[in-house]
Amino acid sequence: MRNKISTYWWCQILGWSAYTLVWTFFYFAIRSKPQPFFFQSLFTDAFLGLVITHLMRMVIKGFDLIRFDLQKQIFLLLITALVFALLDSLVFVSLIGLFNWELPQLKQYSFGNRVARALLTTFLFYLIWNFIYFTYHYIQKSRRDELDKIRLQSLVKELELKTIKSHINPHFIFNALNSIRALVDENPQRARTAITELSNILRSSMQSEKLELAPFERELNIVKDYLALEHIRFEERLQVEYDIDEDTLEQPIPPMMLQTLVENAIKHGISQQRDGGIIKIISNFKENHHELIVQNSGTLNSQNNTEGFGITSTLTRLNLLYGKEAKFELNTISDEMVEAKVILPVQVK
């Protein structure tokens, strides 16, 4: 159980205490004659203010009014201040009348008139309270957005470095160059194509730092080059299938994310199978979402490396870019097939 008073409650207590002290100061400094029931009315007013502003905060948080853009927030600031100031005025005037604490000169006015007079002052204080609350959270949200942007940029750079390392490490280069060398005499045209494919992969790795999102078609072409190179190494042990809805080709996705998923499928799936297997890449629209799926031969036990960079970076990037609008799933779809699925919001141009 937490014994520490939150910052919010410290601000509430200190703010309404200051409100009471200021009115007390003016009462003693400028009064011409004693005012009956002044302190009873003042403490009732301050207590009501604390309670009703807290209710107003609960409404603001409950309906998440902070999520709107600045123009709507200003409108909501005025509306919520007016509604709860009216509530405060109704309750305050009712209590003052119940306990007979009204000033003699105010008794001549009707209930509605007294509420309207109280509302003029109460609305001003509630407007100030709302202004402070909305401004604080607007600044906090701006800071969080900026921090998320910095984290995303840092993650993209880290991903680029990891991807470059995975492609230019001696083992990968050795396999790729050995495969190309073996083709030089028997199939010079395929060797030249393989060199181009390797060049495309390295170039795309270095360019990914500059992009936050990239067209799916671009990322698919990079993966095709990568799989073409891997096919030279695995030969008939690697079978590749594509099921691509052409309408998804222009959809933006995080750069190198698809390749990361395919690399995981090769490393934890195909390379672990004596007879190799199939990698199938699927892209389609489903229920107003863009589904990007990589299926591969293998078992989840050998591929369930949730602490690995590929899975961790995918989850983190999706969270930073899309929040709750994107999902990542890693599942077994049969005894011999594993599926990595990314669900992205559709971007409409």
Side-chain angles (χ1 to χ4, degrees):
M1 183 176 179
R2 295 181 58 187
N3 295 321
K4 185 179 178 181
I5 299 177
S6 66
T7 303
Y8 162 76
W9 279 112
W10 273 119
C11 291
Q12 278 283 73
I13 293 169
L14 293 175
W16 288 106
S17 296
Y19 173 86
T20 304
L21 290 174
V22 168
W23 277 111
T24 301
F25 169 80
F26 282 115
Y27 174 73
F28 286 109
I30 63 175
R31 65 171 181 167
S32 57
K33 59 182 179 179
Q35 180 178 321
F37 309 112
F38 172 81
F39 288 105
Q40 292 93 324
S41 300
L42 178 60
F43 292 140
T44 300
D45 189 21
F47 179 77
L48 273 178
L50 186 147
V51 172
I52 294 180
T53 52
H54 180 63
L55 291 176
M56 182 166 65
R57 174 179 180 259
M58 292 174 64
V59 170
I60 292 171
K61 293 184 67 177
F63 289 95
D64 197 16
L65 303 184
I66 305 296
R67 76 182 186 276
F68 296 104
D69 57 47
L70 184 59
Q71 186 174 359
K72 288 185 178 179
Q73 284 192 36
I74 293 173
F75 174 75
L76 292 170
L77 179 152
L78 294 171
I79 293 300
T80 54
L82 179 60
V83 169
F84 283 92
L86 178 60
L87 175 62
D88 184 303
S89 300
L90 286 168
V91 176
F92 177 75
V93 172
S94 297
L95 288 175
I96 295 299
L98 179 65
F99 293 108
N100 199 26
W101 290 345
E102 301 107 327
L103 292 174
Q105 60 269 29
L106 295 179
K107 291 183 178 181
Q108 60 181 317
Y109 297 108
S110 66
F111 177 82
N113 194 295
R114 279 179 283 164
V115 169
R117 292 168 66 92
L119 180 62
L120 293 176
T121 303
T122 307
F123 175 70
L124 176 61
F125 282 102
Y126 274 65
L127 191 61
I128 293 172
W129 193 99
N130 256 2
F131 176 79
I132 294 171
Y133 187 84
F134 274 76
T135 300
Y136 172 81
H137 283 280
Y138 181 81
I139 294 172
Q140 289 293 99
K141 183 176 182 296
S142 298
R143 288 178 176 176
R144 285 195 300 269
D145 290 345
E146 186 64 26
L147 181 60
D148 284 347
K149 183 179 179 180
I150 293 171
R151 287 176 60 200
L152 178 60
Q153 291 173 347
S154 175
L155 185 65
V156 171
K157 289 180 181 179
E158 183 181 358
L159 177 64
E160 182 206 45
L161 292 174
K162 292 282 186 178
T163 305
I164 290 176
K165 287 179 181 178
S166 70
H167 286 154
I168 67 174
N169 68 70
H171 181 70
F172 177 83
I173 294 296
F174 179 80
N175 286 335
L177 292 181
N178 264 351
S179 299
I180 294 172
R181 184 177 63 180
L183 291 173
V184 168
D185 292 328
E186 64 179 78
N187 193 342
Q189 179 59 40
R190 181 68 186 93
R192 286 193 292 270
T193 302
I195 292 173
T196 301
E197 291 163 349
L198 179 60
S199 174
N200 290 340
I201 293 171
L202 297 177
R203 186 184 302 111
S204 66
S205 299
M206 301 184 73
Q207 291 176 346
S208 66
E209 178 185 9
K210 304 174 184 178
L211 301 173
E212 186 174 283
L213 295 171
F216 169 63
E217 184 175 18
R218 173 187 180 276
E219 297 301 302
L220 181 62
N221 290 334
I222 294 170
V223 166
K224 286 181 177 179
D225 286 336
Y226 172 76
L227 289 173
L229 277 175
E230 290 293 78
H231 192 271
I232 297 174
R233 178 159 67 102
F234 287 97
E235 296 181 336
E236 298 305 316
R237 292 178 61 218
L238 174 61
Q239 303 297 319
V240 181
E241 296 180 7
Y242 298 96
D243 183 4
I244 307 298
D245 183 342
E246 293 187 358
D247 291 337
T248 66
L249 292 176
E250 295 184 0
Q251 286 295 304
I253 66 172
M256 308 306 292
M257 184 185 70
L258 178 61
Q259 183 168 338
T260 298
L261 297 178
V262 173
E263 286 179 359
N264 278 353
I266 292 284
K267 180 179 179 181
H268 299 289
I270 304 302
S271 65
Q272 305 296 320
Q273 308 298 308
R274 185 183 64 181
D275 298 326
I278 298 174
I279 285 184
K280 184 173 183 179
I281 299 174
I282 304 169
S283 176
N284 56 38
F285 292 122
K286 186 175 181 181
E287 297 179 355
N288 296 321
H289 287 87
H290 178 198
E291 283 195 348
L292 189 57
I293 300 170
V294 177
Q295 298 176 347
N296 65 270
S297 301
T299 60
L300 192 57
N301 289 335
S302 65
Q303 196 167 334
N304 192 16
N305 184 14
T306 57
E307 299 299 323
F309 178 80
I311 301 300
T312 302
S313 67
T314 299
L315 288 168
T316 305
R317 294 174 75 194
L318 291 176
N319 181 59
L320 289 174
L321 283 169
Y322 305 104
K324 296 180 179 180
E325 294 183 3
K327 295 180 181 179
F328 174 77
E329 300 173 358
L330 186 62
N331 300 305
T332 297
I333 58 174
S334 70
D335 292 340
E336 299 179 352
M337 289 293 287
V338 175
E339 176 182 274
K341 180 190 293 186
V342 177
I343 301 175
L344 302 171
V346 174
Q347 303 293 319
V348 181
K349 292 188 177 181

